[in-house]
Amino acid sequence: MARKQDKSLRELLRVAPGRRVALDDELADSTPGIEERDVATALLELARQQLRELQYKLYADGRFGLLVVLQAMDAGGKDGTIRHVISAFNPQGCHVTGFKAPSAEELEHDFLWRIHQAAPRRGEVGVFNRSHYEDVLVVRVDNLVPRPVWSARYAQINDFERMLVANDIRVVKFMLHVSRKEQRKRLQERLKDPRKLWKFDPADLQKRKQWNAYRAAYEDALAKCSTRHAPWYVIPGDRKWYRNYAVARILVETLEDLPLRWPSAEVDPKKIVIR
Amino acid sequence: MARKQDKSLRELLRVAPGRRVALDDELADSTPGIEERDVATALLELARQQLRELQYKLYADGRFGLLVVLQAMDAGGKDGTIRHVISAFNPQGCHVTGFKAPSAEELEHDFLWRIHQAAPRRGEVGVFNRSHYEDVLVVRVDNLVPRPVWSARYAQINDFERMLVANDIRVVKFMLHVSRKEQRKRLQERLKDPRKLWKFDPADLQKRKQWNAYRAAYEDALAKCSTRHAPWYVIPGDRKWYRNYAVARILVETLEDLPLRWPSAEVDPKKIVIR
């Protein structure tokens, strides 16, 4: 029964190609598909076990890779999602890459150059904490390149992701969507906790002032780059228990869709004698 | 009290510089410093929590990195150690690199070239599943390069590791030591389990025949390359519970030795108003 309920989660949260999702407060605070926190927490634990099993088979099979893109506003929960969901994977075979402001060398290349280098190999899971989408988000909001340059990137991103998928690297993208109110609460928590205070970056306040410009940039990116081959999911993020559960379940179902199999053995076990 | 007992584990298992450790069956089956499996299992859980805390502070501090080298005979427990110990780390900030036979491009470079590229950055933990030590192990046993070439590498390795440590990347090396009998048992398990059968490589049987040559090569590497700055630990590995506990404890103590501190905040939290 849980199964049937969960099955619809991908459909509930997937952005249909071309559809513009309004990233409003109501959506951030919603919990589509599940109401009870306790149930979600138990199902998260189950999903974590499934992820580990599925990853092991992905690795053994060796024909497919998985790329997971995480995007969010500041304090939107990217780190928490990695800690609570991605940590289920065996670290051997799962690489997390954080993309910060590009280095001087990276800026000399096209914007996908550093991204491509971090793409997962077959058999592995690659997780991007921020990604090439920053090149149509912060770059657009802060006018870091002219409009014709960033506006051409949506199609370039779609082409790039299509190529990955055609080469057996599945792509799944999560926008962790928090409300402005929730962001305020989390930034204030950082100010109060000496273990978190160092994470507080005054630049985050500047970005907070640009909330509406970021929201518009996100809504555009989701509408233009949620494709059949590389879907975007908008994950309501004000409730961490829901966010973790939803990301984990969608990852499970994405991996379950792959026709994974155990490789045939190189040897006939009956004929092997170990001395 | 557990604390006092544990403190001595590093001293019990560290290879003193220049000392030749006999990698015999008795050592593989021993459990220095702890006798009860249940206690070790509980202490492993505690150590995993400590590792996560310490890694977070390592990341926040940003001045030090940690390189963990794992070496073992086939079926010696490298993968299991990653699954049970290394998985405690937040995947963001912990990268596992597996070194297989070098590619054509890698062979065109010196043997440390690919190793150096995978070195952890400050704030991060890097784990090597196999390492530059293969260049004085399989390379030596199979005569892949002339003796003068591999025999010069011990000093080159020591110089390289000294440079890393001088640049604030701490280096800790684990030789997971199993007995020949235990290896046989584990290889046979692979033959019986359809989920593991694909891992069975007939080449492992060839290497098993070269047991004594590998043992001598390991004993030399440990004697020549366990240094004050980059110690080797020989971890008795026949009992997986002991191996996991010992590796985790030694990692905790290695990180506890670092003078980690929370970075001072960029802001005065009292003066920040979030609107």
Side-chain angles (χ1 to χ4, degrees):
Chain A
M1 209 179 96
R3 178 113 190 123
K4 195 169 173 217
Q5 179 188 44
D6 300 338
K7 254 302 177 198
S8 60
L9 206 59
R10 276 203 296 180
E11 285 147 46
L12 280 171
L13 302 180
R14 188 192 290 125
V15 179
R19 181 179 144 232
R20 201 176 172 89
V21 176
L23 295 174
D24 57 26
D25 289 2
E26 197 184 350
L27 177 58
D29 189 43
S30 67
T31 63
I34 197 158
E35 278 168 29
E36 304 86 352
R37 178 187 175 135
D38 290 352
V39 176
T41 304
L43 290 174
L44 169 64
E45 206 38 58
L46 175 65
R48 283 175 54 94
Q49 290 167 30
Q50 291 173 301
L51 285 178
R52 191 163 279 215
E53 291 289 313
L54 286 160
Q55 180 204 14
Y56 184 64
K57 202 164 181 181
L58 181 85
Y59 174 70
D61 180 304
R63 293 177 300 151
F64 302 97
L66 177 67
L67 172 59
V68 181
V69 170
L70 296 178
Q71 285 285 159
M73 301 276 206
D74 294 314
K78 298 185 300 297
D79 292 350
T81 301
I82 290 170
R83 213 159 48 237
H84 293 285
V85 181
I86 301 302
S87 64
F89 290 121
N90 184 331
Q92 184 160 247
C94 175
H95 284 263
V96 179
T97 308
F99 290 99
K100 302 187 177 167
S103 69
E105 187 194 16
E106 287 167 350
L107 282 172
E108 289 175 30
H109 292 274
D110 68 86
F111 77 107
L112 291 172
W113 180 77
R114 63 176 186 159
I115 303 296
H116 208 157
Q117 285 183 66
R121 62 183 81 192
R122 295 192 183 91
E124 292 195 346
V125 179
V127 179
F128 287 179
N129 183 343
R130 304 187 186 273
S131 67
H132 43 304
Y133 283 93
E134 292 296 332
D135 294 289
V136 290
L137 293 166
V138 61
V139 166
R140 162 177 159 165
V141 171
D142 285 349
N143 293 305
L144 301 181
V145 300
R147 183 185 185 101
V149 174
W150 62 252
S151 63
R153 287 180 176 168
Y154 301 103
Q156 291 161 3
I157 287 172
N158 287 341
D159 289 346
F160 171 67
E161 293 178 355
R162 189 182 305 106
M163 182 279 297
L164 289 180
V165 175
N167 284 275
D168 296 324
I169 307 299
R170 298 297 165 102
V171 178
V172 57
K173 300 172 291 193
F174 296 104
M175 157 56 177
L176 312 176
H177 169 48
V178 291
S179 64
R180 213 171 123 76
K181 191 176 146 195
E182 178 68 16
Q183 188 194 53
R184 180 168 184 263
K185 196 180 123 202
R186 292 185 190 176
L187 291 175
Q188 275 175 330
E189 278 164 13
R190 288 188 187 170
L191 290 175
K192 279 183 208 150
D193 185 343
R195 288 168 43 92
K196 291 182 177 170
L197 183 56
W198 63 276
K199 283 177 85 174
F200 191 92
D201 181 351
D204 292 352
L205 294 183
Q206 180 53 33
K207 283 200 200 162
R208 186 170 161 80
K209 285 182 193 156
Q210 300 165 300
W211 184 276
N212 289 334
Y214 272 104
R215 176 177 161 171
Y218 264 110
E219 288 178 355
D220 266 7
L222 297 172
K224 289 174 196 287
C225 297
S226 191
T227 54
R228 271 185 64 86
H229 55 271
W232 269 107
Y233 296 93
V234 174
I235 308 294
D238 276 11
R239 301 176 202 230
K240 294 173 181 173
W241 61 262
Y242 181 81
R243 176 199 74 204
N244 293 336
Y245 158 74
V247 170
R249 267 308 303 171
I250 289 170
L251 287 176
V252 166
E253 292 182 12
T254 302
L255 287 168
E256 279 178 344
D257 264 0
L258 294 172
L260 299 178
R261 62 184 186 217
W262 299 107
S264 51
E266 288 184 55
V267 296
D268 177 353
K270 291 191 205 82
K271 288 186 184 157
I272 297 283
V273 182
I274 304 171
R275 287 172 212 286
Chain B
M1 209 178 100
R3 178 114 190 123
K4 193 167 174 215
Q5 180 188 44
D6 299 336
K7 255 303 174 196
S8 61
L9 206 60
R10 277 204 294 179
E11 285 148 46
L12 280 171
L13 303 180
R14 187 192 290 125
V15 179
R19 180 177 145 232
R20 201 176 173 87
V21 176
L23 296 173
D24 57 26
D25 289 2
E26 197 184 350
L27 177 57
D29 191 41
S30 68
T31 63
I34 197 158
E35 278 167 29
E36 304 85 351
R37 179 186 175 137
D38 289 353
V39 176
T41 305
L43 290 175
L44 170 63
E45 205 39 57
L46 175 65
R48 283 174 54 93
Q49 289 167 31
Q50 291 173 301
L51 285 178
R52 191 163 280 214
E53 290 290 312
L54 286 160
Q55 180 205 13
Y56 183 65
K57 202 164 179 181
L58 180 85
Y59 174 70
D61 180 304
R63 293 177 301 150
F64 302 97
L66 177 67
L67 172 60
V68 181
V69 171
L70 296 178
Q71 284 286 159
M73 301 276 206
D74 294 314
K78 298 185 300 297
D79 291 350
T81 301
I82 291 169
R83 213 159 48 238
H84 294 285
V85 180
I86 302 301
S87 65
F89 291 120
N90 184 332
Q92 185 160 249
C94 174
H95 284 263
V96 180
T97 308
F99 290 99
K100 301 186 179 169
S103 70
E105 187 194 17
E106 287 167 349
L107 282 172
E108 289 175 31
H109 292 274
D110 69 86
F111 76 106
L112 290 171
W113 180 77
R114 64 176 185 158
I115 303 296
H116 209 156
Q117 286 183 66
R121 65 183 78 192
R122 295 192 182 91
E124 292 197 344
V125 179
V127 179
F128 287 179
N129 184 343
R130 303 188 187 274
S131 67
H132 42 305
Y133 284 93
E134 292 296 333
D135 294 289
V136 291
L137 292 167
V138 60
V139 166
R140 161 176 161 166
V141 171
D142 285 348
N143 293 304
L144 300 182
V145 301
R147 184 185 184 101
V149 174
W150 62 252
S151 61
R153 287 180 175 168
Y154 300 104
Q156 291 161 3
I157 287 173
N158 287 342
D159 289 347
F160 171 66
E161 292 177 354
R162 188 181 307 107
M163 181 279 297
L164 288 180
V165 175
N167 285 275
D168 296 324
I169 307 299
R170 298 297 164 101
V171 179
V172 57
K173 302 173 289 193
F174 296 104
M175 157 55 176
L176 312 175
H177 169 48
V178 291
S179 65
R180 214 171 122 76
K181 192 175 145 196
E182 178 69 16
Q183 187 193 53
R184 181 168 183 264
K185 195 180 125 203
R186 293 184 190 176
L187 291 176
Q188 274 175 332
E189 278 165 13
R190 287 188 188 171
L191 290 174
K192 279 183 209 150
D193 185 343
R195 287 169 44 93
K196 291 183 177 171
L197 183 55
W198 63 275
K199 283 177 84 174
F200 192 92
D201 181 351
D204 293 351
L205 294 182
Q206 179 54 34
K207 283 199 199 161
R208 185 170 160 81
K209 285 181 191 155
Q210 300 166 300
W211 185 277
N212 289 333
Y214 272 104
R215 175 176 161 171
Y218 264 110
E219 289 177 355
D220 265 8
L222 296 172
K224 290 174 196 287
C225 298
S226 191
T227 55
R228 270 185 66 86
H229 56 272
W232 269 108
Y233 295 93
V234 174
I235 308 293
D238 277 10
R239 302 177 202 229
K240 294 173 182 173
W241 62 262
Y242 182 80
R243 176 199 73 205
N244 293 337
Y245 158 74
V247 171
R249 268 308 304 172
I250 290 170
L251 288 176
V252 167
E253 292 182 11
T254 301
L255 287 168
E256 279 179 342
D257 265 1
L258 293 173
L260 299 178
R261 62 183 186 217
W262 298 108
S264 50
E266 288 184 54
V267 295
D268 176 353
K270 290 190 206 84
K271 289 186 183 158
I272 298 283
V273 182
I274 304 170
R275 287 173 211 286

